[in-house]
Amino acid sequence: MAPKSPSSWLHAASLLSFSLFVSAAVTGCGIGPVASSSEGSLALAGRVHGGQQPVVGSVVQLYTAGIAGNGSAARPMIAATVTTDSNGFFGITGDYTCVNSTDQVYITATGGDPGVGTNNSNLIMMTALGNCGNLNSSTYITINEVTTVAAAWALAPFMISATNVGSSPTNSLGLQNAFLNAQLIASSATGLAATNPSNLAIETDKLYALADAIATCVNSSGGSSCTPLFAAATPPAGSAPIVTAPTDTIAAALDIVKFPGSNPGGVYNLISPTPPFPTAYTQAPNDWTMSLTVTGGGLNSPTAITVDASGNIWVAGYYGLLSAFTPQGTPLSATGFGSGILSETYGVAVDNSGNLWVSNQELPGHSPGHGSIVKFMGASSGSMGTPVFNAATNSYWFFDQTMSFPTALAPDSNGDIMIANFANSTGAVYDSSGNVVATGLGTGNSAFPVAIIADGSHGMWLANQGDTTVTHVDQFGNILAHPNCCSGANGIAIDTFGNAWVANYYGGNVNEISPTGTSATLVDGGQDGGLANGYPAGLALDAAQNVWVALYRGTGFSEVVGPSGYQAPGTALSPANGYGLDANLLLPFTLAPDASGNIWVSNYGKSNIVMFFGIATPTATPIIAAATAP
């Protein structure tokens, strides 16, 4: 449903030339340094609205995101005071400087009268703008509840407050992509849901519902009128050493999206009977996660999913295609790669040179029906998606006579690729040129492995779906651990302490296993976050060591506390049925975090992939052994 149309004067005003805006009386609009000598005086204009009402006298500030770490202090860009006029308009002329064209920029509106006759000191709204160099005299900005919650969803991993938005200096790309992602949710120009390409879809009704909840405080005199919002948005007990309620509207939005399953009903019940942004919701959503559903690019029953160093998403399709997408979901090929040389693909991995390796479980390959792997050039190679010819087999297929139903792949830090052979229950290693390094690893101690991960010392862990074990093998083939721990191990990852985390498909839980095999089954007192009935499948850790699990038959995904957190390892953080139930997941196969703090899910049953904005901790990609910060 489309939101209410603003009043006719607003439509007329938006068609005026920029010169009329900046010549209007805007309180305290000072003259400062220009952005660069080549650009001259840069100017911006826009409006601040609470719902459909102008906010008068709101203080507008432009910020450059910090570079001293996640949530680091942002730099104010305007020295003079800029406030909105009686119609909510503001103009900024020659008041700001772009130190670097790629600096990430956002704008806030603080306080003002939203049409109630008094200043609302609890009002802070925000719009994410992106590259400073993209701002020009044609830039028109809307700051309202919709842009505020969009910024909160996209920037949550990088944001503590309205004045603390930033990343580490080594993750500028992750921050830049997060700002671009905000524009996939809401238009900074119109303040409405973004108009995206046909292969992308967000949860528009959820966007407007959360904006409506925030509006109950924005469009008030503040104080006690905002208490219900701040109470509903307060983070759950145990989420930090000291839990406090938010005190402004952007902080409330941020708490809601950072803890999306904490109190969805309480937040939803704040919405007015006549909300400013109509939504089709008639009851609370399952959670306040926001998703982007991506189709096209040759996706067909996607299985494994991985992210390369540039943030591109690579997806193996069971029926024989490799799909690739930009961090914003644009297909890098309309039809995918590997047609005719891939079949029954369950594994994909990015090596440390950025090239892709994909497994064919049965055909094509050697013998009959024993499978193969295929190498593709990566996105930065200049020949993206081109398969690499193997002179030894006179084909595009790499294999040896011990390969048997290669199901899962994992990269090692030395450029090697590790392989889980399902049919003969072994692990193998190939080098970056496709030459055999080692085969038969774990023989006699593995049982139909379906997942594999490097251990950080060139050894491997195998998840044995065929029995109750996992296998830890060193680089020489010695068995380091073979615990009786699990029940249909289906996904495996390691943490920074070397422990393996295992998703148990039949057990409905996860295990933490030490490098030597000591195991703990982790279920949080029956509050399992969706694991018990979800059939846990693919598993990944993010840089904060949070554990993420795809629920193959639970139409969602779970989050549990890993080895580092305020709560005990294994504590469920997701709701009783998991996250993402509003995103139409069907048979989610596995998942992967990225450097912007998003979680990408391969949605096997719908032949699409789904990205959940800003729910995780930014993570260096590709993940090789333990997940680390970018």
Side-chain angles (χ1 to χ4, degrees):
M1 299 177 65
K4 296 177 181 176
S5 298
S7 57
S8 58
W9 65 262
L10 184 56
H11 283 298
S14 66
L15 298 175
L16 293 175
S17 68
F18 176 76
S19 61
L20 290 180
F21 283 124
V22 298
S23 64
V26 180
T27 305
C29 183
I31 303 297
V34 298
S36 71
S37 58
S38 62
E39 293 177 349
S41 295
L42 293 178
L44 301 173
R47 63 179 182 182
V48 179
H49 262 219
Q52 305 302 331
Q53 299 300 316
V55 181
V56 180
S58 188
V59 177
V60 176
Q61 179 59 270
L62 199 63
Y63 288 93
T64 298
I67 57 170
N70 294 341
S72 53
R75 179 179 66 86
M77 299 173 66
I78 306 172
T81 300
V82 176
T83 58
T84 55
D85 68 10
S86 59
N87 291 317
F89 289 117
F90 64 88
I92 303 170
T93 309
D95 287 337
Y96 72 94
T97 300
C98 290
V99 176
N100 300 293
S101 63
T102 56
D103 286 343
Q104 297 305 296
V105 173
Y106 66 96
I107 193 167
T108 63
T110 301
D113 177 7
V116 297
T118 187
N119 178 66
N120 181 350
S121 61
N122 299 116
L123 185 160
I124 304 181
M125 294 190 291
M126 173 180 178
T127 301
L129 299 174
N131 283 356
C132 193
N134 292 342
L135 303 178
N136 56 54
S137 58
S138 299
T139 303
Y140 185 76
I141 302 165
T142 296
I143 309 173
N144 67 2
E145 296 92 340
V146 177
T147 64
T148 297
V149 297
W153 265 308
L155 301 180
F158 302 102
M159 187 173 176
I160 296 174
S161 69
T163 57
N164 286 82
V165 179
S167 72
S168 65
T170 54
N171 194 25
S172 58
L173 180 61
L175 181 66
Q176 184 179 40
N177 280 324
F179 271 84
L180 288 171
N181 290 343
Q183 295 292 328
L184 297 174
I185 304 173
S187 165
S188 60
T190 67
L192 304 177
T195 300
N196 288 316
S198 59
N199 76 306
L200 305 178
I202 64 162
E203 297 177 67
T204 303
D205 287 313
K206 184 178 287 187
L207 167 66
Y208 288 146
L210 185 53
D212 289 333
I214 300 299
T216 61
C217 174
V218 169
N219 297 288
S220 75
S221 58
S224 61
S225 297
C226 292
T227 299
L229 172 64
F230 297 158
T234 300
S239 58
I242 300 175
V243 175
T244 59
T247 58
D248 61 69
T249 50
I250 186 62
L254 194 59
D255 281 340
I256 292 166
V257 303
K258 284 188 174 184
F259 304 97
S262 174
N263 188 16
V267 173
Y268 176 83
N269 290 338
L270 298 171
I271 299 174
S272 161
T274 55
F277 304 100
T279 173
Y281 279 176
T282 57
Q283 61 184 20
N286 288 286
D287 58 47
W288 290 109
T289 57
M290 173 55 66
S291 68
L292 176 77
T293 298
V294 181
T295 56
L299 286 171
N300 188 356
S301 300
T303 54
I305 187 168
T306 191
V307 185
D308 69 19
S310 298
N312 300 308
I313 316 304
W314 295 85
V315 190
Y318 174 77
Y319 290 105
L321 282 175
L322 174 65
S323 299
F325 302 85
T326 70
Q328 282 71 49
T330 300
L332 294 175
S333 166
T335 56
F337 306 105
S339 178
I341 60 174
L342 296 178
S343 178
E344 297 182 39
T345 54
Y346 282 111
V348 63
V350 182
D351 66 24
N352 61 4
S353 296
N355 298 314
L356 281 298
W357 294 85
V358 183
S359 62
N360 292 312
Q361 191 187 54
E362 292 185 69
L363 297 172
H366 69 101
S367 296
H370 280 240
S372 62
I373 58 175
V374 181
K375 180 181 180 180
F376 293 87
M377 301 302 291
S380 61
S381 67
S383 302
M384 179 182 63
T386 301
V388 175
F389 190 77
N390 181 12
T393 63
N394 195 35
S395 71
Y396 292 112
W397 305 318
F398 292 82
F399 56 82
D400 72 284
Q401 293 304 309
T402 68
M403 184 175 285
S404 187
F405 283 43
T407 298
L409 305 175
D412 195 5
S413 58
N414 59 10
D416 291 345
I417 294 296
M418 297 180 170
I419 303 162
N421 286 308
F422 181 82
N424 64 14
S425 298
T426 65
V429 180
Y430 278 58
D431 68 17
S432 59
S433 298
N435 301 308
V436 177
V437 175
T439 62
L441 303 179
T443 299
N445 291 274
S446 299
F448 305 113
V450 296
I452 188 171
I453 188 74
D455 70 359
S457 299
H458 310 305
M460 65 175 66
W461 286 87
L462 294 165
N464 300 318
Q465 192 179 67
D467 65 9
T468 59
T469 72
V470 296
T471 308
H472 187 193
V473 186
D474 72 12
Q475 62 177 319
F476 306 108
N478 300 310
I479 303 298
L480 300 177
H482 184 225
N484 185 5
C485 58
C486 308
S487 180
N490 203 89
I492 194 165
I494 67 166
D495 63 28
T496 53
F497 301 99
N499 304 307
W501 291 77
V502 182
N504 294 304
Y505 187 81
Y506 299 116
N509 53 32
V510 297
N511 281 73
E512 179 189 20
I513 304 169
S514 75
T516 58
T518 303
S519 174
T521 301
L522 302 171
V523 179
D524 181 38
Q527 303 301 314
D528 55 52
L531 292 170
N533 299 311
Y535 291 85
L539 179 148
L541 273 67
D542 65 22
Q545 309 303 290
N546 301 305
V547 182
W548 302 90
V549 188
L551 304 176
Y552 188 68
R553 295 194 180 276
T555 66
F557 61 101
S558 293
E559 179 189 10
V560 300
V561 177
S564 305
Y566 297 118
Q567 296 159 292
T571 301
L573 298 177
S574 46
N577 294 312
Y579 287 132
L581 273 64
D582 303 314
N584 295 314
L585 297 179
L586 180 63
L587 306 180
F589 191 88
T590 192
L591 38 69
D594 68 15
S596 298
N598 308 307
I599 290 289
W600 291 86
V601 179
S602 58
N603 197 19
Y604 181 90
K606 290 289 185 72
S607 288
N608 57 37
I609 57 175
V610 183
M611 184 257 276
F612 290 86
F613 292 89
I615 193 173
T617 297
T619 301
T621 56
I623 296 176
I624 299 177
T628 59

